[in-house]
């Protein structure tokens, strides 16, 4: 194990870096896209709600790998050339955004209807009420489940390995096939994932306790 | 001059006919109390006045604005029509002062200085200026309801709707809240529509009493004659039951 680390630390660090970068990008964009569709799902307009539901139900119920392969193989054929890292990160973003949309939607809907009525009755518009009253309360409620989604996201970023995304899992596969030391290669990769996800989990628990 | 006019208003929840042929005019400055058994439609009626419930037929005019016309800007109407709810509906993510200051800041675009001065004045009026920094979860129900009243008054409304304002309160909290409502309703330029089960309070504060049952207005009389000699049989029965308690 020490051998692999001392001989291949550069590839491993590189993989860790790509995994982190992909995760951060996907986290940022899936939070925005997911919140957007969550709001679509609770709008008074039925058309908006249906569009939101279709998006969520499609991408929540297709395997991440299928979505990623679509962006890796189909999009470059017909639309625009993108590399494996980009395709993987887009797939990860879209897939995660569907789960975030569901999480945020349930948070919004858990806020008592009276909060909206109270705000509307003072002459605030629907959007003002959402912005100042509903969404701040909803996001506070969904911080713990969102944390779970983010931990899942980091783990799911291993899908990049399938599309030559040069991430941690990709480097693990390479190490295993070049050194033939499969056990130690994957042990190291697993430990490196823990280096990212364990602090996240602890931080989430800390936030949860602080808010309770 | 009338503040609120219902002309043959009908309200349905799906197939359920919640408000039937409502005809009612409330003049500016008047205090009208709406009573009736649970499920009679009195809250629904109050909630149509500021458009929280839409109507399916008839004409409803509030402060010169036609609520039966979908093009009417409902937010402009609500600037002038305050509402106090059974469950207070204070913003849980804002402290007491911010609850009062939010709508004047966003809707009326008051300067921070004027807004704060006004908010503190309103909180003083309801006797809670010392709770300005508290969160809604840190005050009692009676205090929360008084903050909710201050929040509505900070918009300087012409009309106030009170939807069972004391029904969710502990008995010993009720008097303080009723006292504040009485003070507000007795202002000469304030039109008030109050849904309540507090008969003693109704007697004291109302110019007129409206009795509703089954989505209909069954009696509409001045306060004295309503309590002394109700005309409608259902109203008689209702009163005899409530007062015997």
């Amino acid at each position: 194990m020490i051998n692999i680390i001392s001989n291949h630390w550069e590839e491993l660090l590189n993989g860790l870096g790509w995994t982190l970068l992909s995760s951060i990008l996907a986290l940022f964009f899936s939070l925005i896209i997911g919140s957007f569709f969550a709001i679509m799902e609770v709008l008074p307009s039925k058309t908006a709600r249906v569009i939101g539901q279709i998006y969520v139900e499609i991408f929540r119920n297709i395997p991440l790998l299928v979505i990623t392969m679509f962006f890796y193989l189909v999009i470059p054929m017909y639309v625009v050339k993108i590399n494996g890292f980009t395709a993987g990160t887009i797939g990860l973003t879209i897939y995660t955004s569907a789960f975030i949309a569901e999480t945020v939607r349930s948070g919004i809907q858990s806020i008592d209807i009276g909060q909206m009525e109270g705000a509307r009755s003072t002459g605030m518009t629907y959007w003002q009420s959402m912005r100042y009253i509903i969404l701040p309360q909803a996001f506070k409620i969904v911080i713990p489940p969102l944390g779970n989604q983010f931990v899942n996201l980091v783990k799911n970023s291993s899908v990049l390995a399938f599309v030559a995304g040069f991430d941690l899992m990709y480097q693990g596969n390479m190490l295993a096939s070049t050194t033939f030391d499969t056990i130690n290669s994957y042990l190291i990769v697993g430990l490196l994932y823990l280096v990212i996800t364990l602090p996240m989990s602890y931080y989430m628990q800390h936030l949860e306790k602080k808010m309770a | 001059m009338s503040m609120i006019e219902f002309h043959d208003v009908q309200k349905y929840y799906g197939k359920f006919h919640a408000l039937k042929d409502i005809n009612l005019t409330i003049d500016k400055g008047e205090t009208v109390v709406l009573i009736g058994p649970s499920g009679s439609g009195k809250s629904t009626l109050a909630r149509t006045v500021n458009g929280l419930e839409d109507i399916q037929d008839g004409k409803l005019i509030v402060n010169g604005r036609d609520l039966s016309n979908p093009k009417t800007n409902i937010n402009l109407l609500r600037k002038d029509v305050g509402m106090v709810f059974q469950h207070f509906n204070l913003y849980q993510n804002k402290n007491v002062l911010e609850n009062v200051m939010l709508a004047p800041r966003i809707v009326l675009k008051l300067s921070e200085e004027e807004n704060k001065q006004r908010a503190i004045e309103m909180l003083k009026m309801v006797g809670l200026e010392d709770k300005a920094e508290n969160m809604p979860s840190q005050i009692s129900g009676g205090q929360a309801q008084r903050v909710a009243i201050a929040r509505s008054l900070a918009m300087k409304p012409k009309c106030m709707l009170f939807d069972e304002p004391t029904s969710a309160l502990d008995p010993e909290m009720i008097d303080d809240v009723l006292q504040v409502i009485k003070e507000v309703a007795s202002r000469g330029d304030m039109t008030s529509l109050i849904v309540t089960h507090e008969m003693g309070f109704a007697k004291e504060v109302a110019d007129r009493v409206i009795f509703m049952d089954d989505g209909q207005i069954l009696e509409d009389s001045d306060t004295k004659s309503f309590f002394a000699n109700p005309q409608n049989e259902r109203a008689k029965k209702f009163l005899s039951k409530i007062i015997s308690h």
Side-chain angles (χ1 to χ4, degrees), chain A residues 5-155:
Chain A
I5 294 176
S6 56
N7 290 331
H8 299 279
W9 61 272
E10 263 180 276
E11 293 103 295
L12 285 167
L13 264 189
N14 212 302
L16 188 69
W18 286 114
T19 289
L20 267 177
L21 181 63
S22 173
S23 299
I24 290 168
L25 286 173
L27 190 153
F28 179 75
F29 287 110
S30 63
L31 190 57
I32 292 175
I33 298 170
S35 304
F36 175 81
F37 282 101
I39 292 169
M40 292 274 281
E41 281 189 287
V42 300
L43 282 181
S45 150
K46 194 165 182 208
T47 322
R49 286 206 304 272
V50 169
I51 293 172
Q53 279 159 13
I54 289 174
Y55 178 89
V56 168
E57 289 310 325
I58 287 180
F59 291 111
R60 198 168 61 140
N61 293 302
I62 296 178
L64 170 60
L65 192 52
V66 175
I67 301 174
T68 304
M69 281 302 177
F70 181 84
F71 280 95
Y72 187 54
L73 299 173
V74 181
I75 295 290
M77 262 199 291
Y78 297 103
V79 191
V80 62
K81 281 246 171 308
I82 47 176
N83 61 24
F85 177 81
T86 311
T89 305
I90 292 175
L92 194 58
T93 301
I94 289 178
Y95 179 79
T96 310
S97 72
F99 287 91
I100 288 183
E102 275 307 275
T103 309
V104 174
R105 177 197 57 78
S106 72
I108 294 173
Q109 286 179 335
S110 73
I111 305 299
D112 184 67
I113 179 84
Q115 295 287 302
M116 180 58 102
E117 288 186 348
R120 294 303 307 276
S121 74
T122 60
M124 284 160 66
T125 65
Y126 177 84
W127 288 109
Q128 288 167 340
S129 312
M130 273 300 225
R131 177 172 160 208
Y132 294 103
I133 305 303
I134 307 300
L135 292 180
Q137 294 183 57
F139 274 105
K140 203 172 156 189
I141 288 178
V142 300
I143 284 175
L146 271 186
N148 282 333
Q149 298 294 348
F150 293 153
V151 171
N152 281 339
L153 184 155
V154 173
K155 296 187 291 178

